Amino acid sequence: VQLQASGGGLVQAGDSLRLSCAASGRTFSFYGMGWFRQAPGKDREFVATISGNGGSTFYADSVKGRFTISRDNAKNTVYLQMNSLKPEDTAVYYCAAAFGGVYRTSNQYNYWGQGTLVTVSS
């Protein structure tokens, strides 16, 4: 599985942004998908995850109520809708795929995209 994340950019606090992650392969629905982020000088942290059929989602407390993860299996794409962005959301955002599961920990993921930078100015 190859993953290509896109949609990052420079926005102001309070703005919205939607990230996309396009996956290759014909078994996309077999994979739970996750979004992680890494801010400068910090460890990579969990943001959100969604099950293969989209029926289950989980979020980090820091983004709950502001971010929404979704997927379109017909397009082999997972999305992260980010609303009410804050400067502390500034980070490189990574999408990842985990075969057959939904996980909050990065070591459970088998494949990673290259990351897309989100910068939120105050």
Side-chain angles (χ1 to χ4, degrees):
V1 176
Q2 291 184 320
L3 304 174
Q4 181 74 36
S6 62
L10 173 63
V11 297
Q12 293 185 331
D15 284 351
S16 297
L17 204 58
R18 189 177 80 157
L19 305 183
S20 299
C21 176
S24 65
R26 294 176 289 179
T27 59
F28 181 65
S29 63
F30 291 179
Y31 289 84
M33 298 297 296
W35 286 98
F36 290 77
R37 66 186 182 186
Q38 187 167 17
K42 295 187 176 181
D43 293 335
R44 189 172 298 188
E45 65 174 359
F46 167 76
V47 175
T49 185
I50 187 168
S51 60
N53 64 4
S56 297
T57 58
F58 300 95
Y59 297 91
D61 288 344
S62 58
V63 306
K64 200 172 295 182
R66 298 188 298 123
F67 291 11
T68 302
I69 189 171
S70 62
R71 65 190 297 159
D72 185 340
N73 286 345
K75 295 182 178 179
N76 278 17
T77 302
V78 62
Y79 305 98
L80 185 67
Q81 177 67 42
M82 305 185 293
N83 299 330
S84 302
L85 282 161
K86 304 175 182 180
E88 51 263 45
D89 294 318
T90 295
V92 177
Y93 283 72
Y94 298 89
C95 60
F99 184 77
V102 183
Y103 305 104
R104 300 173 189 256
T105 54
S106 59
N107 62 1
Q108 300 283 358
Y109 286 81
N110 311 103
Y111 303 98
W112 291 83
Q114 86 290 358
T116 185
L117 177 62
V118 173
T119 303
V120 184
S121 64
S122 58

